[in-house]
Amino acid sequence: MPGKNKLLESHLYLYLTEFFAGMALMAVEIGAQRLISPYFSSSQIVWTIIIGTIMIAMALGNLYGGRRADKDPNPDRLYDRIFLASLWLALIPAVGKYLIIGISGLLILAIDTHFLVLAALVTCLAVFVFPLFLLGTVTPSLARYCVEKKEETGGIVGRLGAVNTIGSILGTFLPTFLTIPALGTSLTFLLFAGILLLLSLVYFAAGGGTRKKMALGAVIFLAACVLGHSTSFAFWEDPEKIKYEGESTYNYLQVREEPDSIVLSTNVLFGVQSIKMKQEGLTGMYYDVALAAPYMARIREKKDPELLILGMGTGTYAHQCRRYFPELKITGVEIDPQITALARTYFGLPPDVPVTAYDGRAYLSGDRKKYDLIMVDAYQDITIPFSMSSVEFFQSVREHLRPGGVMVLNMNMKGSVPGSLNDYLADTVASVFPAVYMADVPQATNRELFAGMEDDLAENLRLQGKREKDLELRQLMEQTGQRLTPYHPGPYRLTDDRAPVELLGMRTIDTLIHQELGMYRDILKEKGIRGVLEE
């Protein structure tokens, strides 16, 4: 075997290379999802694109690596590729976010449909395919270098596969449960890129590699650490407004302070998750319209009424209910405990409002209590958990309502095309609850859906709202009652077996993009990109 590197006197270093290459590959896959999801959502669509492009890159790398190893069985070539892959990965935190925004800006003005699919696909091709293609050459190359006798082939390939798999397992769990929550996505990329770089530099040093190349690699890596370790996902934001930016096991999280509000974002391109107005009172957002639910359930007439919020977020709805309906006992469920911590710190969530860190549907499955109100607010743009949108889920909600109880569902993407995501959600709810009403939120894409077992929701709102002592709230309930319309179900249903919420959400986002950006597309056609930037 060509090459006189003393590390290769035994096969140990080759197996270590296989182990760390497998670890880095899976860490990059997890990191790719976390890098992309704040811009394109963390839906199954995005995951599918990431996995698909990575598999393509790996397949091409396997083919290329095997052929190159047969033609030139010199391990130096493999470690050159690992060296190049490590530097590319190290630069992703510094330049990846700018590439994503650039790609998104061009595509959003150029296409009318499938924006999320194409933007995520082009991003993966531009950012991740090349380094993962290089890492894909590792296994076939190492198999060629390790096999000295034909009768050893099966055993060696089996050991390489086992070592790669063990590394891949660690590369899956470490970013998810340790490095991303503790260090963040950027430092996770730098950490695993550094491991690959060290792997190649040790090899070069043992074999008398050129010092210039080794020094250049170290300089590029250090520059990437300086430029990329603290880059914000929303780098265009005023840093003085950002009160918190970090990552949890579940989400990218950003707390931003505006002159009149505090905002939590889990997605920097498609809206926000929660807003708390600094001025006490009505917010002007969907939380206000959702306050119709307590009137529909005649909360003021009940003894010890209880509210369950599935998708507590920062607790704005809980705060509003506590303000206007102090008799309500409130319980919250929020899958991400870090969001709850931020809610306590920045959003004034009262310490006596209990919040359980759990999945909403799983919580219902283990909860034996019944409630007068259940608020379902677990949908974030296209990222809608299918398990909380199905017939089976809403049946569980119904079973947890007391007589006269009401469910209020916040739907955050109004669809104007028949067969939209909201049509599916509303029809699904209507297949479980005999009384369903809807009210659009003024000047927003939200729509509130109210459901109960008795067809007196609208009348309850009218009668109970008239008795409200707060003038502003009484006027709001009157306006909400005027917009409230009974829902007549259609043929659409979502079930645990079939709930294509990602595709439906993508279709709705395409419609919204087309409506909102039509003016800019016209400017692009007439004046070019300069005209768009000027506008």
Side-chain angles (χ1 to χ4, degrees):
M1 179 175 63
K4 300 179 180 180
N5 195 304
K6 60 184 179 182
L7 284 177
L8 303 186
E9 292 177 359
S10 71
H11 289 165
L12 177 61
Y13 201 74
L14 297 179
Y15 285 114
L16 285 175
T17 300
E18 181 77 2
F19 174 81
F20 286 116
M23 179 188 292
L25 175 68
M26 291 308 300
V28 170
E29 183 171 341
I30 301 296
Q33 188 272 337
R34 293 307 294 261
L35 183 71
I36 289 176
S37 63
Y39 304 97
F40 305 132
S41 84
S42 56
S43 69
Q44 187 180 27
I45 291 173
V46 173
W47 262 118
T48 299
I49 291 169
I50 292 171
I51 294 171
T53 52
I54 287 175
M55 296 299 288
I56 291 171
M58 289 296 295
L60 294 175
N62 288 165
L63 289 173
Y64 179 82
R67 290 180 179 179
R68 293 302 302 171
D70 286 340
K71 292 181 178 179
D72 183 10
N74 184 351
D76 291 359
R77 305 292 176 262
L78 172 63
Y79 287 92
D80 282 337
R81 294 194 289 270
I82 295 174
F83 175 78
L84 183 57
S86 70
L87 296 182
W88 185 291
L89 294 174
L91 289 170
I92 286 177
V95 302
K97 302 174 183 70
Y98 300 95
L99 287 173
I100 292 173
I101 292 299
I103 291 168
S104 301
L106 291 174
L107 288 177
I108 206 169
L109 292 172
I111 62 176
D112 287 326
T113 59
H114 306 303
F115 166 75
L116 286 177
V117 171
L118 291 174
L121 177 60
V122 174
T123 295
C124 286
L125 292 174
V127 178
F128 299 109
V129 163
F130 180 66
L132 295 178
F133 165 80
L134 295 176
L135 292 179
T137 68
V138 171
T139 298
S141 299
L142 292 178
R144 177 67 177 82
Y145 305 149
C146 288
V147 172
E148 297 176 358
K149 298 179 181 179
K150 187 175 180 180
E151 57 269 21
E152 298 176 345
T153 301
I156 288 175
V157 171
R159 285 193 292 273
L160 286 171
V163 169
N164 181 277
T165 301
I166 294 171
S168 297
I169 293 171
L170 287 176
T172 301
F173 283 91
L174 287 176
T176 300
F177 295 104
L178 182 61
T179 64
I180 289 178
L183 304 176
T185 300
S186 294
L187 287 180
T188 295
F189 272 105
L190 292 170
L191 173 63
F192 287 96
I195 291 174
L196 292 177
L197 179 64
L198 182 63
L199 194 71
S200 57
L201 291 182
V202 168
Y203 176 86
F204 294 145
T210 60
R211 293 184 177 180
K212 287 184 178 180
K213 179 168 69 174
M214 296 168 64
L216 179 62
V219 168
I220 293 175
F221 182 76
L222 290 175
C225 290
V226 172
L227 296 173
H229 82 282
S230 61
T231 302
S232 171
F233 281 88
F235 53 83
W236 57 86
E237 294 278 7
D238 182 353
E240 293 185 0
K241 291 183 177 181
I242 305 300
K243 299 304 178 183
Y244 175 87
E245 187 172 27
E247 296 174 80
S248 68
T249 303
Y250 298 96
N251 291 293
Y252 158 77
L253 300 169
Q254 178 201 99
V255 177
R256 184 175 72 253
E257 183 173 8
E258 300 291 349
D260 59 349
S261 62
I262 305 292
V263 178
L264 172 70
S265 291
T266 58
N267 186 314
V268 297
L269 284 188
F270 295 105
V272 300
Q273 187 195 34
S274 294
I275 300 178
K276 183 180 186 298
M277 306 305 293
K278 292 181 179 179
Q279 182 177 350
E280 291 291 337
L282 298 176
T283 65
M285 293 172 288
Y286 77 86
Y287 311 105
D288 298 347
V289 178
L291 288 174
Y295 294 103
M296 293 177 176
R298 303 192 300 275
I299 287 300
R300 299 201 193 279
E301 300 176 358
K302 296 183 177 180
K303 182 180 179 181
D304 301 324
E306 295 196 47
L307 162 65
L308 174 66
I309 302 177
L310 301 178
M312 186 69 157
T314 60
T316 301
Y317 188 66
H319 184 84
Q320 293 297 89
C321 287
R322 171 66 64 87
R323 175 181 174 83
Y324 293 108
F325 303 94
E327 65 271 30
L328 263 177
K329 180 182 178 181
I330 303 172
T331 301
V333 180
E334 171 57 54
I335 194 171
D336 192 339
Q338 184 61 23
I339 289 181
T340 303
L342 294 176
R344 307 280 191 201
T345 303
Y346 296 100
F347 294 84
L349 180 64
D352 61 334
V353 174
V355 181
T356 301
Y358 217 58
D359 172 80
R361 181 165 176 179
Y363 182 88
L364 286 181
S365 297
D367 187 20
R368 296 294 177 262
K369 291 181 62 176
K370 292 183 181 290
Y371 302 87
D372 300 280
L373 285 172
I374 296 180
M375 167 63 150
V376 180
D377 193 12
Y379 305 159
Q380 300 178 42
D381 302 312
I382 193 176
T383 310
I384 294 178
F386 84 91
S387 61
M388 293 184 68
S389 63
S390 65
V391 169
E392 293 83 352
F393 167 70
F394 292 115
Q395 287 172 341
S396 180
V397 172
R398 183 189 64 192
E399 292 166 2
H400 283 77
L401 285 173
R402 293 171 179 166
V406 173
M407 179 193 75
V408 54
L409 175 70
N410 176 44
M411 302 187 293
N412 59 3
M413 293 190 297
K414 288 186 290 194
S416 58
V417 178
S420 69
L421 176 57
N422 281 350
D423 288 342
Y424 271 87
L425 287 172
D427 284 358
T428 302
V429 171
S431 71
V432 176
F433 290 90
V436 177
Y437 289 81
M438 303 181 72
D440 286 347
V441 179
Q443 299 179 335
T445 60
N446 296 75
R447 175 176 290 161
E448 301 308 294
L449 183 149
F450 305 90
M453 296 303 295
E454 301 173 12
D455 195 16
D456 57 0
L457 305 187
E459 183 65 12
N460 287 346
L461 174 60
R462 186 182 67 82
L463 294 176
Q464 298 290 320
K466 279 186 176 182
R467 301 173 187 172
E468 176 57 51
K469 296 179 181 179
D470 186 294
L471 176 60
E472 188 180 22
L473 186 57
R474 185 168 69 246
Q475 291 175 341
L476 172 66
M477 290 303 105
E478 182 179 351
Q479 295 165 2
T480 301
Q482 293 171 355
R483 291 195 305 273
L484 194 69
T485 58
Y487 184 76
H488 303 288
Y492 306 110
R493 299 287 186 278
L494 298 171
T495 67
D496 285 349
D497 180 61
R498 182 178 179 274
V501 290
E502 291 89 355
L503 293 175
L504 294 168
M506 182 186 67
R507 187 188 306 165
T508 303
I509 284 183
D510 285 340
T511 302
L512 293 173
I513 289 173
H514 179 75
Q515 293 172 347
E516 296 293 330
L517 296 178
M519 177 186 71
Y520 293 101
R521 290 198 178 98
D522 293 339
I523 295 172
L524 179 65
K525 292 177 181 178
E526 295 176 6
K527 301 180 181 180
I529 191 65
R530 182 182 296 274
V532 174
L533 295 175
E534 289 175 353
E535 183 67 24

